[in-house]
Amino acid sequence: MPFGEVVCGAPGSGKSTYCYGKYQLFTALNRPVAVVNLDPANDNIPYPCAVDISSLITLESVMEAHGLGPNGGMLYCMEYLEANFDWLEERLKELGSDVYVLFDLPGQVELSTNHDSVKHIMNKLTKSEFRLAAVHLCDAHYITDASKYISVLLLSLRAMLHLELPHINVLSKIDLLSQYGELEFNLDFYTEVQDLSYLENSLNASLPPKYAALNMAMISLVEDYSLVGFETLAVEDKTSMMHLMRAIDRANGYVFVPPPDAPAPPGTIDESNAPPSSRPNMMGLFSTAAGPLRDPGSDVRDIQERWVDYKDIYDAHEKKEWRKEGEMLRDAAARNNVSKIRERKPKQ
């Protein structure tokens, strides 16, 4: 069975936009990809949907039939999908064994932090030899406020502990961060979750004094687990998308598996027809794949410079380069048209 990722996060964090962006990226890279919509309330899907839960159950029908509200109806839909897991499994098998699957979850955070249906569905997929990673999207503007940042840390930690999958936390919409004012610390303080005690003054200033002990208890909880860290994402930026793709490929193990048509060294056993989850990487260097990511999007200082400190300058430079590229393509097309016209003229 194939590799994939479970895209979760709060409403408005950019899950569907990310899925569409990744679908476009993989299409450009010639990597087989399919998007599975597991949100029964999502009736405005921007991406080509390979499997849609709406063909099994919809939130509107559940609310009408059982008199439930939106949240209760969503929980019922997930429980119904869990009870009818064979429906999902059959449609995933139709996609083939080499396709990379994106599971677009609903925005209700309790589905990935408390409720067990999504967890049980993912466990069944894992037992079916799916190699999955959870991608938890959080809106980057939350880091501009200390109390919101702590809440995002707790939410991310809870999702990591609940889903029990290889996990990548992502600060999405990083390209819009400069609109919310200056950061109290550098970006790496928030992505690497450094010494959170520096946030104590900001937390105490925004809350009554009686909550001071609670603030430090929450900080200690996050630091004691020492699990949470963040990647960044600007979905319209190719460098950002490529860096996140590499991070996720390492998390779910895709980086260790070669494509089916990759040449193997002489004397190795040919297992190119094996499923991707069990196909050995006969050429890859394990230390290279498992080592630190080294690409243009791996240094958070460069990300801060690009999207926070000097965003306008970089945007102007990119527009200038795009204009040059467009002029070069236009000139090349004109030269090709001229050469074709000359070839069509009869020789005298």
Side-chain angles (χ1 to χ4, degrees), residues 30 42 99 108 123 151 186 234 287 308:
N30 293 322
N42 189 358
V99 69
Q108 276 71 5
N123 287 340
S151 68
N186 286 334
S287 59
V308 181

Side-chain angles (χ1 to χ4, degrees), residues 139-145 148 173-183:
D139 199 317
H141 88 269
Y142 288 130
I143 68 176
T144 59
D145 183 272
K148 292 180 180 178
K173 305 179 185 179
I174 196 71
D175 50 323
L176 304 180
L177 186 59
S178 59
Q179 299 179 6
Y180 299 96
E182 296 183 359
L183 296 176

Side-chain angles (χ1 to χ4, degrees), residues 11-126:
S13 57
K15 297 183 297 298
S16 295
T17 304
Y18 165 72
C19 289
Y20 187 33
K22 190 143 192 179
Y23 177 88
Q24 292 176 312
L25 176 65
F26 274 33
T27 302
L29 296 175
N30 293 322
R31 279 180 61 171
V33 62
V35 186
V36 176
N37 174 44
L38 295 183
D39 186 355
N42 189 358
D43 54 0
N44 187 21
I45 302 173
Y47 47 77
C49 189
V51 180
D52 190 354
I53 191 178
S54 296
S55 60
L56 175 69
I57 190 172
T58 62
L59 179 62
E60 184 178 359
S61 63
V62 169
M63 293 171 61
E64 292 178 357
H66 301 282
L68 297 172
N71 288 335
M74 187 64 69
L75 298 181
Y76 181 94
C77 290
M78 292 298 104
E79 292 173 358
Y80 188 83
L81 178 61
E82 180 188 358
N84 295 272
F85 177 76
D86 55 340
W87 174 88
L88 177 62
E89 188 175 30
E90 289 175 3
R91 278 147 186 80
L92 291 176
K93 288 180 179 179
E94 295 173 358
L95 301 177
S97 60
D98 283 316
V99 69
Y100 188 96
V101 184
L102 300 168
F103 294 93
D104 187 8
L105 291 185
Q108 276 71 5
V109 295
E110 58 265 31
L111 295 175
S112 55
T113 58
N114 301 94
H115 199 255
D116 287 331
S117 288
V118 169
K119 177 182 178 180
H120 292 163
I121 292 170
M122 297 308 149
N123 287 340
K124 291 179 181 179
L125 290 174
T126 303

Side-chain angles (χ1 to χ4, degrees), residues 184-253:
E184 188 174 0
F185 302 98
N186 286 334
L187 186 59
D188 59 350
F189 175 86
Y190 302 98
T191 57
E192 298 172 6
V193 192
Q194 296 176 3
D195 189 353
L196 297 179
S197 62
Y198 286 107
L199 297 176
E200 181 180 3
N201 292 335
S202 298
L203 291 172
N204 293 338
S206 61
L207 295 171
K210 64 180 180 179
Y211 293 112
L214 177 61
N215 291 336
M216 292 309 300
M218 290 189 295
I219 287 175
S220 299
L221 175 66
V222 175
E223 291 185 333
D224 288 346
Y225 275 98
S226 190
L227 291 175
V228 184
F230 293 96
E231 299 289 344
T232 59
L233 172 65
V235 73
E236 295 182 353
D237 182 67
K238 182 178 70 173
T239 300
S240 179
M241 286 290 289
M242 291 290 291
H243 170 73
L244 183 58
M245 179 195 72
R246 295 187 182 100
I248 297 171
D249 284 349
R250 294 203 311 170
N252 61 20

Side-chain angles (χ1 to χ4, degrees), residues 85 157 278 285 315 324:
F85 177 76
L157 177 61
S278 60
L285 297 176
D315 287 345
K324 287 182 180 179

